[in-house]
Amino acid sequence: MSKLRRQLSANTSNVVETKNLVDIKAKTGNLYESIAIVAKRANQINISLKEELHNKLEEFASHTDSLEEIHENKEQIEISRAYEKMPNPAILATQEFMEDKIYYRKNDSDLFS
């Protein structure tokens, strides 16, 4: 199991829970900025999970185009199901943000001044 999957599956449930918007806003002072940070982190998580899944499934890929050789591989199906059961990247990113596990910074230079 990869480091990312162990980290993601540690204490995260698959159930979406409502969050208090005041708490989310309190982290940065701006609700939209907080949501943008969570969205960027969710995108990072999603990309790394996709790469990991494709790398694992590539081991089972058949590079021949013969129809007789197409068959279901139980290991491949189990890997796909395991990734489907993982929590949504947005849930993971929100949890990381609320636990102050995401590093972010503001650009101090104002473009319009």
Side-chain angles (χ1 to χ4, degrees):
M1 183 183 289
S2 73
K3 180 181 175 186
L4 179 64
R5 285 188 58 210
R6 274 183 268 137
Q7 176 189 359
L8 299 179
S9 61
N11 294 327
T12 307
S13 67
N14 287 338
V15 181
V16 177
E17 299 175 1
T18 58
K19 303 289 183 193
N20 189 352
L21 294 179
V22 175
D23 294 339
I24 294 173
K25 179 183 175 185
K27 298 283 184 181
T28 62
N30 185 336
L31 178 63
Y32 299 107
E33 184 178 347
S34 297
I35 291 173
I37 292 167
V38 170
K40 287 179 183 180
R41 177 63 182 141
N43 192 27
Q44 290 173 344
I45 293 170
N46 192 32
I47 289 170
S48 63
L49 286 175
K50 278 185 181 181
E51 288 175 356
E52 185 178 314
L53 176 62
H54 287 295
N55 289 339
K56 287 186 178 187
L57 293 179
E58 186 67 28
E59 297 173 7
F60 302 105
S62 174
H63 298 291
T64 60
D65 293 335
S66 174
L67 291 176
E68 292 104 22
E69 294 182 14
I70 297 176
H71 62 284
E72 292 182 357
N73 189 335
K74 290 182 182 181
E75 295 170 346
Q76 185 177 5
I77 293 171
E78 289 177 16
I79 290 172
S80 296
R81 285 186 181 157
Y83 276 85
E84 288 175 2
K85 290 179 184 177
M86 290 179 69
N88 186 316
I91 295 172
L92 296 169
T94 303
Q95 180 180 354
E96 286 180 3
F97 182 73
M98 297 305 290
E99 294 173 356
D100 294 325
K101 294 181 179 177
I102 297 177
Y103 171 76
Y104 59 92
R105 66 175 188 249
K106 271 188 156 179
N107 190 359
D108 292 333
S109 63
D110 189 3
L111 298 175
F112 299 108
S113 60

